[in-house]
Amino acid sequence: MLLKQTPSQTIGPFFSYGLTPKQAGYNKLSSLASSSLVTESTIGAQIRIEGTIFDGVGDIVSDAMVEIWQADSQGRYQNQPSLEGIGSSFLNFGRCDTGANDQNKFVFETVKPGQISTKTAPHINLVIFMRGLLSHVFTRIYFPDEKNSNLLDETLLTIPAYRQETLVAKKLSGESTPIYEFNIHLQGEKETVFFDA
Amino acid sequence: MRKSQFNMRDWKSHPKYLTPSYKSTVLRSPTKPLIPMKQTLSEITGPVYGHDSINPLDNDLTKNGITDGREPLGERIVVSGKVLDEGGRSQPNTLIEIWQCNSAGRYIHVNDQHDAPIDPNFFGGGRCMTDENGHYKFYTIKPAAYPWGNHVNAWRPAHIHFSLFGPAYVTRLVTQSYFPGDPLLDLDPIFMSTPKSSQGLLIKEFSMDLTEEGFALGYKFDFILRGPNATPMET
């Protein structure tokens, strides 16, 4: 007999001084996560992920928290059981408050993740919280320049073809650091795929 | 390597996304069904924080916001309990973050425009790690109810926001915990969005055992996170 899970409740509009204090300009608490996952010794191709979250009428969501969790450029997670004890120069986890910049985007400085297995394409995992979301949503970012491995990804393959593209970022050109744009649509025609992960 | 997958979110315990009485859900809820996913290494791993990420006053909100040498106003409370998984196993070394309004019902957040005083000595944010037995403890000031714009004469019941990681990316939980006997609970669309049989899991229990003589009233609040199931994951 299992105990009942503690129910989720919305993060509400006022989380930033507690969860993303530095980004939001509060100095009473240190920040445990930032929007940059790279350090000086990080190996791999640095990239920027940026995106906007749109609600059901296309308005930009300016009070969301986006968390990312991804493998390093070699496809490893920090606390992967087989790798315990190996110091990591890459922070697999990041947080961004969409209220913390003028355009209300989420922006992450990171590296292109490696493959974690032959059955998965490189991807970044996202958890999204906001006022009006009573329980968080899970989604994933895939890469447009990984067409071959995307075709073999066991998670993408479970999604109807016409919705798969909501999970593939768009590569923006003209910068020295590659920028991948990943916009999130909470509702409507272009509604992003959310997982019961 | 083999490692267990985690039980799914129990939707009989969590609120439904679309809860029209809570107006903000109308344009922000997914409208298509969630796509069930077979968990991979990405889902069963998660960020790990050490006890060194926590500063000594991070779990004491009665002290970590003092700016003019005086203590914050309001009723001091202790909030303490355990973090368990569904199988009743203690969850050691897991990060708990909290944020809340002050004893007048005002958040320090710049966007909170409620006409109630800011307390210069109360910040309202904190964090701690569970110990090796899954126990945690915060000292804080009892938060107050405050009005919000959801409907005419709408008031949020007093609550503390909690954020927990647990052992994996999929055990993440953000929730709110309320106070026993609050008449606003039945009128609050956010609390009431929770299935009736699980609402009690969001209400703290008053505890004389946790009450510290001459100092602070005690409240017990436990968390139950998703636990591993019997399905091994092959990689």
Side-chain angles (χ1 to χ4, degrees):
Chain A
M1 179 70 184
L2 293 175
L3 300 171
K4 258 178 128 54
Q5 295 170 12
T6 302
S8 172
Q9 296 274 270
T10 180
I11 198 168
F14 302 134
F15 60 84
S16 63
Y17 68 92
L19 299 182
T20 54
K22 195 172 173 195
Q23 288 171 28
Y26 297 93
N27 58 16
K28 275 277 187 330
L29 270 185
S30 58
S31 273
L32 290 182
S34 82
S35 58
S36 175
L37 284 70
V38 294
T39 69
E40 275 178 9
S41 50
T42 297
I43 304 162
Q46 297 207 3
I47 61 168
R48 181 180 302 153
I49 299 287
E50 59 177 55
T52 306
I53 305 177
F54 297 98
D55 74 8
V57 291
D59 285 343
I60 293 173
V61 174
S62 62
D63 56 1
M65 181 171 81
V66 178
E67 291 182 341
I68 67 173
W69 173 244
Q70 66 162 94
D72 67 13
S73 61
Q74 315 298 306
R76 295 174 304 192
Y77 285 100
Q78 215 171 9
N79 68 336
Q80 208 170 311
S82 58
L83 291 173
E84 262 167 32
I86 294 182
S88 181
S89 58
F90 175 69
L91 311 167
N92 306 75
F93 179 70
R95 261 183 188 169
C96 192
D97 165 10
T98 67
N101 69 64
D102 296 343
Q103 297 171 297
N104 297 127
K105 288 183 176 185
F106 58 90
V107 180
F108 291 99
E109 305 295 337
T110 183
V111 294
K112 186 121 176 257
Q115 274 182 279
I116 56 170
S117 81
T118 53
K119 287 181 281 186
T120 62
H123 64 273
I124 294 177
N125 310 286
L126 268 71
V127 199
I128 302 158
F129 305 87
M130 68 185 79
R131 169 177 63 83
L133 260 191
L134 284 160
S135 195
H136 51 270
V137 289
F138 292 111
T139 188
R140 279 184 173 191
I141 302 175
Y142 287 89
F143 292 89
D145 38 17
E146 296 286 347
K147 286 209 167 66
N148 291 338
S149 55
N150 288 348
L151 288 173
L152 301 172
D153 184 273
E154 58 180 355
T155 303
L156 273 180
L157 289 175
T158 64
I159 301 169
Y162 78 101
R163 297 197 66 200
Q164 285 180 17
E165 66 188 57
T166 70
L167 300 185
V168 182
K170 203 192 291 172
K171 193 169 185 177
L172 305 182
S173 56
E175 298 272 342
S176 53
T177 303
I179 299 178
Y180 292 92
E181 181 187 67
F182 185 77
N183 291 332
I184 293 165
H185 298 269
L186 295 166
Q187 299 182 343
E189 281 290 291
K190 293 186 280 186
E191 183 170 324
T192 302
V193 166
F194 299 114
F195 292 107
D196 205 2
Chain B
M1 183 191 65
R2 290 171 89 84
K3 202 181 169 186
S4 293
Q5 303 206 9
F6 286 85
N7 293 322
M8 302 305 288
R9 273 189 276 187
D10 178 4
W11 292 105
K12 292 200 289 292
S13 200
H14 297 290
K16 280 206 298 274
Y17 287 112
L18 181 61
T19 302
S21 56
Y22 172 25
K23 275 191 189 155
S24 301
T25 66
V26 174
L27 293 175
R28 291 181 165 199
S29 299
T31 61
K32 296 182 166 56
L34 301 185
I35 298 209
M37 174 201 263
K38 191 175 143 208
Q39 292 165 12
T40 70
L41 192 61
S42 292
E43 284 71 40
I44 66 161
T45 53
V48 173
Y49 284 97
H51 287 262
D52 56 358
S53 348
I54 306 292
N55 295 312
L57 288 182
D58 280 358
N59 78 330
D60 189 348
L61 285 68
T62 70
K63 296 207 171 66
N64 73 10
I66 293 178
T67 58
D68 68 9
R70 290 178 295 178
E71 290 196 40
L73 295 174
E75 185 182 344
R76 281 186 296 254
I77 58 171
V78 181
V79 180
S80 182
K82 279 179 296 193
V83 181
L84 304 170
D85 73 8
E86 295 161 277
R89 289 169 288 253
S90 304
Q91 302 294 298
N93 309 316
T94 199
L95 177 68
I96 306 181
E97 297 165 281
I98 69 172
W99 68 104
Q100 62 165 84
C101 66
N102 68 20
S103 62
R106 178 80 185 261
Y107 287 88
I108 202 86
H109 195 288
V110 289
N111 292 350
D112 185 5
Q113 297 300 309
H114 174 37
D115 182 22
I118 283 175
D119 184 336
N121 297 306
F122 188 74
F123 179 65
R127 56 177 78 115
C128 73
M129 305 277 295
T130 57
D131 67 15
E132 65 277 16
N133 299 312
H135 289 272
Y136 75 93
K137 185 188 267 190
F138 286 102
Y139 291 94
T140 186
I141 298 294
K142 192 173 181 187
Y146 58 83
W148 62 312
N150 190 68
H151 54 273
V152 176
N153 210 6
W155 292 78
R156 290 301 324 280
H159 60 276
I160 299 175
H161 295 266
F162 281 87
S163 162
L164 289 86
F165 281 87
Y169 171 75
V170 294
T171 55
R172 193 85 178 80
L173 175 71
V174 167
T175 190
Q176 303 182 23
S177 98
Y178 303 92
F179 289 85
D182 191 331
L184 292 172
L185 287 173
D186 288 349
L187 305 172
D188 180 49
I190 295 180
F191 173 74
M192 292 302 285
S193 70
T194 313
K196 194 135 194 95
S197 60
S198 295
Q199 288 173 359
L201 295 171
L202 295 177
I203 302 175
K204 295 181 220 22
E205 187 186 317
F206 171 67
S207 164
M208 274 312 284
D209 288 341
L210 291 172
T211 295
E212 297 188 14
E213 186 169 2
F215 185 71
L217 292 181
Y219 289 91
K220 179 172 175 279
F221 193 75
D222 292 342
F223 296 91
I224 315 294
L225 303 180
R226 293 164 62 177
N229 65 27
T231 317
M233 197 195 70
E234 291 176 51
T235 56

